[in-house]
Amino acid sequence: MSFSSDQRSEDGHFKLSESAALVINKGDITKWSVDGSSDAIVNPANERMLGGGGADGAIHRAAGPELREACCKVPEVRPEVRCPIGEARITPGFKLPASHVIHTVGPIYDADSNPEASLRNAYKNSLSVAKENNIQYIAFTAISCGVYGYPYEEAATVALSTVKEFANDFKEVHFVLFSDDIYNVWLNKAKELLEA
Ligand code: AR6
């Protein structure tokens, strides 16, 4: 992978550090993988961790029923809660092309007393769990930007500034974004935060 002298190529590739790249893609996260062994996609799940709508539903459908079985085995920290808001848990990817799924729970924007801190924790703990499991390539969607109603611009600032703190820990960090509007918000925010 190469970078132009201004540290950016034209297609959503940015330099996070001397050794790490940030890649902003448009597409379906269930199709994403790099090597099928040290890669992980991050699932914007809910606290029960047994599937749902949006990206969570798509990830469970693509991974097959073994993913739900693996999630069931994650111990509850209190009734019906396997992964509290802002935390992260890891499972295999089963039928997904990526080897692992990191399940995290973002805040419901209008219901959280500090949505920014909760969203930052969701990114931070996903990246920490990935690091502990020797993941080299990790892909996120726009956590909380669907059903959970987080404004895109604010979410992009939290997502990209948090990823920047882990600049030396991965070979590549990807965002795989479903819609043109979110993709464009992320691209502009990356230009602002990573090319300064
Ligand atoms: N690939 C990439 N992005 C996707 C995909 C996909 N296949 N499908 C949706 N998105 P959401 P949240 C985008 O609602 O807001 C679930 O029911 C979507 O367009 O999936 O964190 C869970 O079980 C949006 O930009 O997650 C929870 O209950 C982004 O992914 C709740 O939704 C996140 O939208 C979590 O809500």
Side-chain angles (χ1 to χ4, degrees), residues 27-29 44-46 51-56 58 141-142 144-148 176 178 182:
D28 177 352
I29 200 166
N46 56 57
D56 190 9
T141 56
S144 286
C145 287
V147 179
Y148 283 180
V176 183
F178 222 37
I182 296 189

Side-chain angles (χ1 to χ4, degrees), residues 27-54:
D28 177 352
I29 200 166
T30 67
K31 310 267 193 272
W32 181 92
S33 73
V34 173
D35 63 4
S37 62
S38 64
D39 47 6
I41 63 170
V42 179
N43 179 19
N46 56 57
E47 290 185 315
R48 286 181 72 215
M49 250 185 79
L50 298 179

Side-chain angles (χ1 to χ4, degrees), residues 47 78 82 124:
E47 290 185 315
R78 49 182 192 271
R82 291 181 181 77
K124 207 176 260 188

Side-chain angles (χ1 to χ4, degrees), residues 129-174:
V129 165
K131 202 173 144 181
E132 284 159 23
N133 285 273
N134 300 313
I135 298 296
Q136 300 288 320
Y137 306 92
I138 182 166
F140 291 94
T141 56
I143 298 167
S144 286
C145 287
V147 179
Y148 283 180
Y150 211 106
Y152 303 159
E153 174 89 21
E154 287 175 42
T157 302
V158 173
L160 292 165
S161 62
T162 308
V163 161
K164 226 175 140 180
E165 293 171 24
F166 289 77
N168 295 307
D169 297 319
F170 300 95
K171 289 185 179 157
E172 295 174 15
V173 178
H174 289 232

